[in-house]
Amino acid sequence: MLSTSTPAQKLVLKAHNTATSPRSTYRHGDLRRALLDAGIELARAGGPEAVVLREATRRAGVAPNAAYRHFASREVLLQAVRASALSAVARAMEAELDGIAGGLPPADIARAGVRAVGTGYLRFALKETGLFLTAFAPSDVLIQATPELPTAGNSGLNPFELLGAALDELVAAGVMPPERRPGAEFLAWSAVHGLAMLVVRGPLASVVRPRIEEVGQRLLDMVEKGL
Amino acid sequence: MLSTSTPAQKLVLKAHNTATSPRSTYRHGDLRRALLDAGIELARAGGPEAVVLREATRRAGVAPNAAYRHFASREVLLQAVRASALSAVARAMEAELDGIAGGLPPADIARAGVRAVGTGYLRFALKETGLFLTAFAPSDVLIQATPELPTAGNSGLNPFELLGAALDELVAAGVMPPERRPGAEFLAWSAVHGLAMLVVRGPLASVVRPRIEEVGQRLLDMVEKGL
DNA sequence: TGTACATCAGTGAACGCGCGTTCACTGATGTAC
DNA sequence: TGTACATCAGTGAACGCGCGTTCACTGATGTAC
């Protein structure tokens, strides 16, 4: 079947090659993408340590060393996966932001923006724990966005920038005094990040998880009042 | 020299055996303790993944499998190290609590108590990063204190209990309304834990680290106001 | 339109590594007589 | 006080594992003529 496919069919096969359909051509088509996708899947299921070069090549249906045509090392692949995970976090935040009802006074909108960013972060951590851990995993390398490896969501802002923008709105709406603005993202981020870490893998997993929505909203209350 | 030592000298050697002094007797003396100490040292230097059975036995000057006389598996050794790390966190908090000046009004004392707990946590994370990460590392197992593996400091309270006690004082001093007390430790812990994680290994390492004391205090301001 | 050729994405085999863990053992120690 | 003996903490060797990475290669592809 596959071996008698026409050149045109082969092209289609190459373009849509997945782990399940055996390759029919010598060349893979888009191995870089396939490895990256496999890496993302591994990270989703098991966090950053689960991103293993050999397993990614296995899933792409390719010899282990083929990966080196596209990534200089396992570490470089992992960084690409992290960038993708960061982008997914940004999109989760944007989804929450999109849900904000219009027609409210500016102050309420601004407050809702910060809450949306925090809520998106927490929900992502719970729903996509592996990717979340990968995005913010301990790492010596500072993850840099590049044109090929965007860390931003649809808005063009990455998670950190989305938080910053939401806080700017808070100031613009007169909810937060401008002198408190500098560095405020560190405080807000810390609170939400800490809860996420403690709940998804840490000591609060069993205690807080069932009440995470409630505790999350209380945490955001605290941040709002405290900032 | 060592081979001609008297039985009494041998006993001393056994009791004080370290990685640097070669064993003179067949039996080790206190291998369990030596392995635990080596594990703690490994965790201190490299976090939880650095706690490697074979390396611990190497440092204890013993064959790799000798460890199985004292720990059922690598995981069990790691848990013992974690308990010790938690205890060290508690002691860091207690050190800050001890520094609180007396003679203040109860409300101020209570507030200072919460700050001390948070400050101790943050300072420990920065000074003993490896142990900090080990204490709160992702883990499926809930770390349980046992008589042989205390997680508490000198006060007899573990880090979580120290925070709880400080918050209780806040209520007792009339600073915090009693109805806000339940679950408040989750919020306070989240904030401090998040900052610690983001700074010691996360994306804020380079940005915030130089200003960590200031940012830490601002974070505690936020918690105090927001609770 | 056909052919020669350079490119380079993938192959196949192998490497060294360090890990956790199991096995059958040995011999120092403390204890019972 | 001396001796036989059971205990059990440590030894020595080996296992299988999966990893990242390197090597010399091959053959499908697109391009220049």
Side-chain angles (χ1 to χ4, degrees):
Chain A
M1 241 294 216
L2 290 177
S3 55
T4 62
S5 52
T6 67
Q9 285 174 327
K10 278 190 182 175
L11 271 171
V12 170
L13 280 170
K14 272 162 55 179
H16 294 156
N17 200 8
T18 67
T20 48
S21 72
R23 217 163 356 125
S24 60
T25 61
Y26 188 80
R27 302 290 176 96
H28 181 279
D30 193 358
L31 183 53
R32 186 191 156 80
R33 185 70 239 174
L35 289 171
L36 186 48
D37 286 343
I40 291 168
E41 216 44 53
L42 290 169
R44 165 174 282 127
E49 321 85 47
V51 180
V52 162
L53 250 197
R54 291 186 87 109
E55 178 59 23
T57 59
R58 251 173 256 135
R59 296 192 175 198
V62 119
N65 49 355
Y68 289 88
R69 289 278 158 205
H70 304 278
F71 299 95
S73 68
R74 184 238 171 203
E75 194 57 35
V76 173
L77 170 62
L78 180 54
Q79 281 173 48
V81 173
R82 288 179 68 201
S84 161
L86 279 167
S87 176
V89 174
R91 273 176 276 118
M93 288 173 165
E94 287 163 0
E96 296 289 332
L97 286 167
D98 288 346
I100 296 178
L104 292 166
D108 287 357
I109 299 244
R111 270 191 275 260
V114 176
R115 292 193 95 84
V117 166
T119 304
Y121 195 90
L122 284 174
R123 294 211 171 126
F124 185 84
L126 286 162
K127 208 166 40 159
E128 291 288 5
T129 299
L131 290 180
F132 172 76
L133 291 172
T134 306
F136 302 109
S139 160
D140 304 327
V141 199
L142 230 169
I143 188 85
Q144 289 288 11
T146 66
E148 307 85 45
L149 288 178
T151 58
N154 303 321
S155 64
L157 302 181
N158 67 33
F160 187 67
E161 292 163 346
L162 283 165
L163 172 58
L167 292 171
D168 288 345
E169 294 293 324
L170 226 48
V171 175
V175 181
M176 179 195 243
E179 70 271 17
R180 289 248 195 78
R181 174 64 187 82
E185 48 267 84
F186 304 144
L187 311 186
W189 191 4
S190 290
V192 174
H193 184 71
L195 181 58
M197 292 299 270
L198 290 172
V199 168
V200 300
R201 278 275 195 285
L204 292 190
S206 52
V207 194
V208 170
R209 189 138 213 172
R211 301 158 45 203
I212 179 63
E213 278 290 332
E214 171 218 338
V215 174
Q217 291 308 312
R218 275 188 70 190
L219 183 82
L220 292 171
D221 289 342
M222 178 184 86
V223 171
E224 199 175 304
K225 235 195 295 179
L227 275 183
Chain B
M1 235 319 203
L2 289 177
S3 55
T4 63
S5 52
T6 67
Q9 283 173 330
K10 277 188 184 176
L11 272 172
V12 171
L13 281 169
K14 271 163 54 180
H16 294 154
N17 201 8
T18 67
T20 46
S21 74
R23 216 165 356 124
S24 62
T25 62
Y26 187 80
R27 303 290 177 94
H28 181 280
D30 193 357
L31 182 51
R32 185 192 158 80
R33 184 72 238 174
L35 290 171
L36 185 49
D37 286 344
I40 292 168
E41 216 45 53
L42 290 169
R44 165 175 283 129
E49 321 85 49
V51 179
V52 161
L53 250 196
R54 290 186 87 107
E55 178 60 23
T57 57
R58 252 173 255 134
R59 297 193 176 198
V62 120
N65 49 357
Y68 290 87
R69 288 278 159 207
H70 303 278
F71 300 94
S73 69
R74 185 235 172 207
E75 195 57 35
V76 173
L77 169 62
L78 180 55
Q79 281 174 45
V81 173
R82 289 181 67 203
S84 161
L86 279 167
S87 176
V89 174
R91 272 176 275 119
M93 288 173 165
E94 288 163 359
E96 295 290 332
L97 284 167
D98 288 346
I100 297 177
L104 292 166
D108 287 0
I109 299 244
R111 269 191 276 261
V114 176
R115 291 193 96 85
V117 166
T119 304
Y121 195 89
L122 285 173
R123 293 209 172 129
F124 185 84
L126 288 161
K127 209 166 41 157
E128 291 288 6
T129 298
L131 289 181
F132 173 77
L133 291 171
T134 306
F136 301 108
S139 160
D140 305 324
V141 199
L142 230 169
I143 188 86
Q144 290 289 11
T146 66
E148 306 83 47
L149 288 178
T151 59
N154 304 320
S155 64
L157 302 181
N158 67 32
F160 187 67
E161 292 164 344
L162 282 166
L163 172 57
L167 291 170
D168 288 343
E169 294 292 324
L170 225 49
V171 174
V175 180
M176 178 194 246
E179 68 272 18
R180 289 248 196 79
R181 176 62 187 82
E185 48 265 85
F186 303 144
L187 311 185
W189 190 4
S190 291
V192 174
H193 183 71
L195 182 58
M197 291 301 269
L198 290 172
V199 167
V200 300
R201 278 276 194 285
L204 293 189
S206 54
V207 194
V208 169
R209 189 138 211 170
R211 302 157 43 203
I212 180 62
E213 278 289 334
E214 172 218 337
V215 175
Q217 290 309 310
R218 274 187 70 191
L219 183 82
L220 292 171
D221 289 344
M222 178 183 87
V223 171
E224 199 176 306
K225 235 197 295 179
L227 274 185

